[in-house]
Amino acid sequence: MNGNKEGTYFGLSTPLGRSATATIRISGYKSKGVLNKITAGKLKNPKHKNTSVFDIYNKNNDLIDNVLITFFEAPNSYTGEDLVEIHTHGNPVIIDMVYDALFELGLRLAEPGEFTRTAYLNDKIDLIQAESILSLINSNTKEGVGLSLNNISGSLSKKIKKMRSNIISTLGFVEYELDISETDNQRKTITQAHKNIKNLLLETSELISTAKYARIKTIGAQIVIYGKPNAGKSTLFNSLLNYERSIVTDIKGTTRDTIEEISTIGSHSVVFIDTAGIRTTENPIEKLGVKRTQEKISTADLSLHMITSAPKKIKLKPKNNITVLNKIDLLEKNELNKVRNNKNLVCVSAKNKTGIRQLLKRINKELDLKTQSKTTNQITSPRQEQSLKNAQKELQRALECKEDNLEIIAHHLTGAIKAFDVLMGRTSPDDILENVFSNFCVGK
Ligand code: GDP
C-alpha cells in the first residue's frame, strides 16, 4: 500500500459467497458520475444519506441486478470523500459483473484497509480509532465488541490526548524556568514537574497493564498445553475440543509443530495450543518443535503443564500455570485419593475424559480473574502498547533527573510527547501505517 493514492476505488465490504445481499463500497470524487452511469441516468443528483432501489447496467446496457443504493456526500461520510454503498443480491457472479462495470468506468480496486486509511488521513478518526475498528471486526467475545466500540467512540483517544496535554503543560513550565524566568524557582519547578510526571507514569502503566486482558477479550486467551512426550498432551487437546484434532500415538515426538484451535469457555474465547513434548533430542525437526513450545509458553496467557506422576513435593502454584496430572485411570485407589487432595493439581484422565469439566471450570476461573479490570479505557494493539512503553521510558528518565538538569527533563518530556504523537498517529512513519492498515481486508 503506498499512502494516499489517487482516484476513486471500490471494494466488497461483505464476505464473498452466496447470501441475501452483498455490499460494494465506492469512495472518491467520481462516485456521483458512476451512479449516474450505472443507473442509466436515473440517479443524477444523489442526496446525502438517500437510499433507493435501482436497476444497474454495464456499458452495453445489459442489466446486472436490481440493487439498493445509498449515497453519502463528502465530507460527511466514513472516508470523508463522496461514498456509495451498493447492496446487490449476494451472488459472486453478480459481484463480478459489478466489478467489471466499475473497472470499465475507470475505477480501481481498493487496497486492504484503504477506506479506513482514507478516513484516518482525512481526520475523520485517529489511529487508535482505526485500530479499534479492526479489533471490533475481529473480536471473538461480547466484551471485546463492547471494548472496541468504546474505543471507536473516542473515549481512549480522549484520555490519551489529556495525558499528552499534561506533558505539554509540564514541559511548558520547565521551559519557562529555563528560558524566561528571572527569579530562581528551580526547586519549586522541579517539585511540581516530578509530581506531574509521577501521575503520568501511574496512568501510563495502568494503560499498559490493560493490554493483555484486552487482548484476551478481543482475540481470545492463548492456552498452551506442554509437558514431556507421551504425557497425553494431544489426547487432552482433543478432549478439551471434543473432537480428534491432533494425532494421538504412543510414539514419542509425534507432535513436532504447534497446533492451534479456537474454542469457547464460559464467556471467553480461547485458543488451545498443542505443542511438541519437551525433551533433549538430536532430531533437528523435533529440536525446532521444542524451541517453538518454549516460545509459546513464554507468551501464553495460561499454560497447562501436563505430568503423569504426582510430584513428591507440593510446589507453590507458578503464575499463569495449571498443573494437570494425567492418566489417573492407571492409579491405585489410595494413590488417587492422595493426589485428589492436592489443591495444586487438577487430576484428569484425558483418554477417558474424566476431570475435563473440572479443568474447564478452573481455566474459566483463571480467565475471569485475568479479565477483571476497573479501568474503562483499555488498549487493544501491540503497537499501542509499544508506543506507551516508549513514553513510559522517557517519563521515567525525566523523573530520575537530578535537580540541576532541567534541560534533560525537558528533553525527555519532549521524547514522551513524541511517543504519544506516534500513538495517536499524528506523526506515524509510513511503515507503521502500512502495518496497521494491511491487517484489514479490502472493503474495510
Ligand atoms: P503427547 O505426546 O503428550 O501428545 O501424548 P499423546 O496424547 O499422544 O498420548 C500418548 C499416549 O498416552 C497414547 O497412547 C495415549 O492413548 C495415552 N494416553 C493419553 N492420555 C491417557 C490417559 O488419560 N490414560 C491412559 N491410560 N493413557 C493415556
Side-chain angles (χ1 to χ4, degrees):
M1 195 152 108
N2 21 347
N4 201 3
K5 277 180 102 181
E6 292 290 301
T8 301
Y9 48 89
F10 66 95
L12 182 67
S13 295
T14 44
L16 189 62
R18 289 177 201 277
S19 51
T21 61
T23 304
I24 292 169
R25 262 181 180 168
I26 305 170
S27 181
Y29 69 97
K30 284 188 187 165
S31 296
K32 275 188 189 172
V34 165
L35 286 184
N36 184 26
K37 291 230 166 84
I38 59 170
T39 59
K42 295 250 162 58
L43 186 53
K44 260 200 190 86
N45 287 309
K47 301 260 174 327
H48 178 57
K49 281 193 181 172
N50 228 344
T51 302
S52 300
V53 177
F54 292 92
D55 283 335
I56 56 168
Y57 304 87
N58 67 11
K59 207 172 66 177
N60 303 327
N61 247 357
D62 302 323
L63 177 67
I64 299 175
D65 192 10
N66 184 248
V67 303
L68 194 68
I69 295 176
T70 308
F71 176 73
F72 299 90
E73 186 140 45
N76 299 313
S77 70
Y78 181 70
T79 53
E81 303 172 328
D82 277 352
L83 182 103
V84 172
E85 282 185 4
I86 304 178
H87 306 282
T88 67
H89 291 97
N91 178 336
V93 178
I94 297 173
I95 306 296
D96 266 357
M97 291 197 286
V98 178
Y99 271 36
D100 286 344
L102 297 178
F103 280 132
E104 278 165 5
L105 293 172
L107 269 57
R108 65 175 172 82
L109 196 61
E111 293 176 0
E114 190 167 1
F115 291 90
T116 308
R117 182 176 183 138
T118 309
Y120 159 73
L121 292 172
N122 284 338
D123 278 336
K124 301 291 292 185
I125 49 172
D126 61 39
L127 203 52
I128 290 176
Q129 289 169 306
E131 283 174 320
S132 308
I133 291 166
L134 185 65
S135 79
L136 175 70
I137 296 167
N138 291 337
S139 276
N140 287 325
T141 66
K142 234 162 96 177
E143 284 169 312
V145 166
L147 166 63
S148 307
L149 280 174
N150 185 49
N151 288 356
I152 292 172
S153 77
S155 165
L156 176 62
S157 306
K158 217 161 126 190
K159 165 146 186 96
I160 286 166
K161 266 186 208 153
K162 204 169 153 214
M163 287 166 75
R164 181 183 177 273
S165 70
N166 282 347
I167 312 177
I168 291 176
S169 67
T170 309
L171 178 64
F173 67 70
V174 168
E175 283 193 332
Y176 178 81
E177 183 61 34
L178 268 172
D179 300 340
I180 302 161
S181 174
E182 282 166 13
T183 54
D184 191 12
N185 266 339
Q186 189 152 320
R187 178 167 291 276
K188 224 172 126 193
T189 305
I190 300 249
T191 313
Q192 187 55 44
H194 277 184
K195 200 174 146 205
N196 290 8
I197 294 169
K198 272 186 195 154
N199 283 338
L200 281 159
L201 270 169
L202 271 178
E203 287 180 284
T204 312
S205 7
E206 195 179 39
L207 274 182
I208 292 172
S209 74
T210 63
K212 206 158 188 181
Y213 41 73
R215 190 168 59 77
I216 296 177
K217 281 182 188 172
T218 50
I219 301 166
Q222 302 256 318
I223 304 180
V224 64
I225 306 171
Y226 76 99
K228 292 199 173 131
N230 270 358
K233 298 179 294 300
S234 299
T235 312
L236 180 73
F237 181 69
N238 292 342
S239 291
L240 288 167
L241 293 171
N242 227 351
Y243 80 101
E244 301 304 301
R245 171 67 179 84
S246 256
I247 298 169
V248 172
T249 70
D250 53 6
I251 305 161
K252 288 183 179 178
T254 310
T255 312
R256 290 185 169 175
D257 201 353
T258 50
I259 304 175
E260 305 193 0
E261 209 56 50
I262 296 175
S263 186
T264 310
I265 302 179
S267 63
H268 304 285
S269 171
V270 300
V271 182
F272 284 119
I273 307 165
D274 185 17
T275 59
I278 299 175
R279 66 168 173 173
T280 326
T281 171
E282 286 313 312
N283 183 314
I285 303 171
E286 207 183 333
K287 257 189 186 171
L288 281 176
V290 173
K291 189 165 168 258
R292 200 161 282 186
T293 302
Q294 273 147 355
E295 283 165 9
K296 285 286 175 189
I297 297 170
S298 67
T299 55
D301 299 300
L302 197 62
S303 40
L304 308 182
H305 180 200
M306 286 207 82
I307 53 173
T308 47
S309 55
K312 292 214 168 61
K313 272 192 192 162
I314 302 171
K315 282 192 198 146
L316 280 176
K317 188 181 76 136
K319 224 179 150 203
N320 291 337
N321 196 84
I322 298 174
T323 308
V324 181
L325 175 69
N326 189 26
K327 307 197 183 181
I328 55 166
D329 52 299
L330 302 178
L331 294 181
E332 300 281 336
K333 207 170 172 190
N334 59 338
E335 275 181 296
L336 189 60
N337 286 338
K338 239 202 255 163
V339 290
R340 280 218 158 116
N341 285 331
N342 184 342
K343 292 219 162 48
N344 291 321
L345 294 175
V346 179
C347 301
V348 301
S349 166
K351 195 172 167 181
N352 298 344
K353 296 195 168 62
T354 336
I356 302 298
R357 264 199 22 215
Q358 283 84 339
L359 178 58
L360 287 170
K361 254 188 176 169
R362 176 72 185 278
I363 296 173
N364 194 24
K365 202 171 135 200
E366 295 281 338
L367 295 181
D368 279 348
L369 286 173
K370 276 179 192 295
T371 48
Q372 267 170 10
S373 166
K374 285 178 214 88
T375 47
T376 26
N377 293 307
Q378 299 177 15
I379 56 171
T380 53
S381 83
R383 189 198 68 84
Q384 292 167 10
E385 187 180 2
Q386 194 49 54
S387 309
L388 278 170
K389 280 186 173 162
N390 293 343
Q392 187 185 39
K393 230 184 266 167
E394 295 288 354
L395 290 170
Q396 196 61 48
R397 285 185 187 147
L399 190 67
E400 283 157 8
C401 267
K402 295 282 171 306
E403 288 208 358
D404 52 353
N405 271 337
L406 270 180
E407 268 176 27
I408 297 181
I409 294 182
H411 169 77
H412 290 304
L413 287 176
T414 309
I417 293 167
K418 276 189 192 150
F420 270 86
D421 284 347
V422 172
L423 176 59
M424 305 287 300
R426 284 173 190 237
T427 54
S428 288
D430 264 359
D431 54 341
I432 293 187
L433 295 183
E434 177 101 16
N435 207 320
V436 170
F437 292 103
S438 63
N439 290 322
F440 281 76
C441 310
V442 171
K444 304 279 168 11

